[in-house]
Amino acid sequence: MRLRWMTSMVVATAIAAASCGAPPAPMVAVPESASPLRSPPRQQHVQAPARETPTDVYAHDRPGMLSPRVKNLTPRVYVPNSESNTVDVINPRTFRVVHRYRVGALPQHVVPSWDLKTLWVNENKGNRLTPINPVTGRPGKPVPVDDPYNLYFTPDGSYALVMAERNNRLDFRDPHTMRLIRSLDLPCRGVNHGDFTADGSVFLASCEFSGQLVAIDWRRHRVKKVISVRAGNMPQDVKLSPDGRRFYVADMMAGGVWIINATTFRQVGFLRTGKGAHGLYVSRDSRLLYVSNRGEGTVSVVSFARRKVVERWRIPGGGSPDMGGVSADGKQLWLSGRYHGVVYVFSTETGKLLHKIKVGQGPHGLCFYPQPGRYSLGHTGVFR
């Protein structure tokens, strides 16, 4: 079954489910008052314009809604190769690697800054962040930062949040210079992914090595609640549902996604998706959640309205789909092949694997850039 069922589906309310030089010269910004651009109408199965709902946290992520700051950028895909200590840059139009840069030890993710001006390479063992100027696609002077497995930004842009995974710590830093402001020790092990509530007040983070989630009041720099998803499980990516009512949390040991109430922070369900459930990505029309199942070489497609897996895409011959993102037009899903040294490109309209691109060893959190949205909350592209 392909995604044609979406054209006739009744849209219900959506629910839920690793620094001190300066960065490169900033881009020249176009005035923010400019109206966002929209792609011309086109026929397709999945990415048809979504019906308006009272709340949709991804309403500014539609195809063509590029910020004036990035609308003239040349699209590129940035792939951090954790085992090769390099970043490959892919032209998404030709599907060819056009540049390769050497970076520090164990690059994990490429993360867009809150103001959309810089891409940060998280060098976990290298203990630094390397800035990439998205205008030129070239890296700048690295910034020393302790244990940057992953990187997020508060919704108001006031802090960069470094997920110091091995140190079990969340570091609050200046979002431009990455100067340390304060650290928050966490009562869990292996913090690595997260997302914010719809009002932006709470950051829900996953702790992979202790099977826990932590709800953090980032303004007060304190932990509100610790949620266990059972010993032995390994929660990964976190994504808020479009209506803001629930979080989806991928768990690669449980083989699916936990559903967490975004108000009470209690478990309210579990949805089995596949072995090694890892990355979570929302379709450009806010109707679907793409779940990469790294342990079985598949991508599960979850309907927010139907609360179920409605499609499963398979990589011919198997694979290890990990982290990535949806293309700016919503027509493709790009994922790193963690254990196969490749990048996978899927059609979101047919579910077929379109391309398999050879890159370095251990590709991880790739970033398709630019993407629609007013500002970045971090990771490989969580935009609002």
Side-chain angles (χ1 to χ4, degrees), residues 355-367:
H355 296 276
K356 189 183 291 186
I357 306 164
K358 185 173 177 56
V359 292
Q361 293 302 304
H364 191 190
L366 73 80
C367 177

Side-chain angles (χ1 to χ4, degrees), residues 171-283:
D171 288 341
F172 292 74
R173 294 181 176 268
D174 182 280
H176 305 289
T177 66
M178 294 299 164
R179 175 183 61 86
L180 181 64
I181 297 173
R182 68 173 299 165
S183 294
L184 176 65
D185 292 324
L186 298 175
C188 63
R189 293 182 295 108
V191 62
N192 53 34
H193 298 92
D195 201 356
F196 293 85
T197 53
D199 65 2
S201 65
V202 178
F203 183 55
L204 184 69
S206 61
C207 295
E208 176 178 351
F209 304 136
S210 59
Q212 294 171 304
L213 306 170
V214 286
I216 299 166
D217 180 342
W218 60 267
R219 291 189 179 94
R220 297 183 180 182
H221 306 94
R222 67 181 182 89
V223 175
K224 284 173 60 77
K225 188 170 183 176
V226 178
I227 308 105
S228 175
V229 292
R230 303 176 191 171
N233 283 332
M234 301 181 78
Q236 304 291 313
D237 205 2
V238 180
K239 201 67 80 244
L240 186 65
S241 64
D243 64 6
R245 294 182 180 180
R246 292 173 173 82
F247 288 97
Y248 283 108
V249 181
D251 192 317
M252 68 180 185
M253 293 304 291
V257 291
W258 299 100
I259 304 173
I260 307 297
N261 185 292
T263 300
T264 65
F265 302 102
R266 296 175 62 88
Q267 292 180 32
V268 294
F270 179 79
L271 180 61
R272 188 166 300 282
T273 62
K275 185 178 179 182
H278 204 75
L280 304 175
Y281 309 95
V282 178
S283 64

Side-chain angles (χ1 to χ4, degrees), residues 91-375:
N91 182 332
R93 294 191 177 99
T94 64
F95 304 98
R96 294 182 179 274
V97 175
V98 293
H99 296 292
R100 175 170 289 171
Y101 302 117
R102 184 155 293 281
V103 294
L106 198 62
Q108 298 280 16
H109 304 92
V110 175
V111 177
S113 63
W114 182 87
D115 61 10
L116 311 179
K117 295 180 180 180
T118 306
L119 302 175
W120 293 100
V121 184
N122 295 212
E123 298 162 19
N124 204 180
K125 286 186 178 179
N127 294 310
R128 66 185 198 177
L129 295 173
T130 291
I132 293 177
N133 185 332
V135 174
T136 64
R138 297 181 180 277
K141 183 179 179 181
V143 180
V145 167
D146 188 29
D147 190 19
Y149 174 83
N150 209 346
L151 177 64
Y152 289 84
F153 296 89
T154 57
D156 64 354
S158 61
Y159 293 112
L161 303 178
V162 171
M163 311 291 260
E165 184 184 57
R166 67 174 176 268
N167 293 328
N168 305 320
R169 198 176 67 211
L170 187 67
D171 288 341
F172 292 74
R173 294 181 176 268
D174 182 280
H176 305 289
T177 66
M178 294 299 164
R179 175 183 61 86
L180 181 64
I181 297 173
R182 68 173 299 165
S183 294
L184 176 65
D185 292 324
L186 298 175
C188 63
R189 293 182 295 108
V191 62
N192 53 34
H193 298 92
D195 201 356
F196 293 85
T197 53
D199 65 2
S201 65
V202 178
F203 183 55
L204 184 69
S206 61
C207 295
E208 176 178 351
F209 304 136
S210 59
Q212 294 171 304
L213 306 170
V214 286
I216 299 166
D217 180 342
W218 60 267
R219 291 189 179 94
R220 297 183 180 182
H221 306 94
R222 67 181 182 89
V223 175
K224 284 173 60 77
K225 188 170 183 176
V226 178
I227 308 105
S228 175
V229 292
R230 303 176 191 171
N233 283 332
M234 301 181 78
Q236 304 291 313
D237 205 2
V238 180
K239 201 67 80 244
L240 186 65
S241 64
D243 64 6
R245 294 182 180 180
R246 292 173 173 82
F247 288 97
Y248 283 108
V249 181
D251 192 317
M252 68 180 185
M253 293 304 291
V257 291
W258 299 100
I259 304 173
I260 307 297
N261 185 292
T263 300
T264 65
F265 302 102
R266 296 175 62 88
Q267 292 180 32
V268 294
F270 179 79
L271 180 61
R272 188 166 300 282
T273 62
K275 185 178 179 182
H278 204 75
L280 304 175
Y281 309 95
V282 178
S283 64
R284 292 275 171 231
D285 58 15
S286 300
R287 294 175 174 176
L288 303 172
L289 181 70
Y290 307 121
V291 185
S292 61
N293 302 311
R294 192 175 75 185
E296 65 178 35
T298 67
V299 173
S300 293
V301 182
V302 174
S303 165
F304 285 113
R306 297 174 65 183
R307 310 182 189 186
K308 63 182 294 186
V309 174
V310 295
E311 187 88 12
R312 183 171 279 109
W313 307 337
R314 298 187 181 278
I315 298 171
S320 52
D322 199 283
M323 292 289 178
V326 178
S327 62
D329 62 9
K331 294 181 179 181
Q332 297 169 348
L333 175 65
W334 289 65
L335 297 171
S336 60
R338 188 72 172 271
Y339 304 128
H340 291 77
V342 297
V343 166
Y344 307 113
V345 185
F346 293 89
S347 166
T348 58
E349 297 174 322
T350 67
K352 291 183 178 180
L353 183 67
L354 301 175
H355 296 276
K356 189 183 291 186
I357 306 164
K358 185 173 177 56
V359 292
Q361 293 302 304
H364 191 190
L366 73 80
C367 177
F368 191 110
Y369 203 75
Q371 293 186 41
R374 299 166 297 171
Y375 53 89

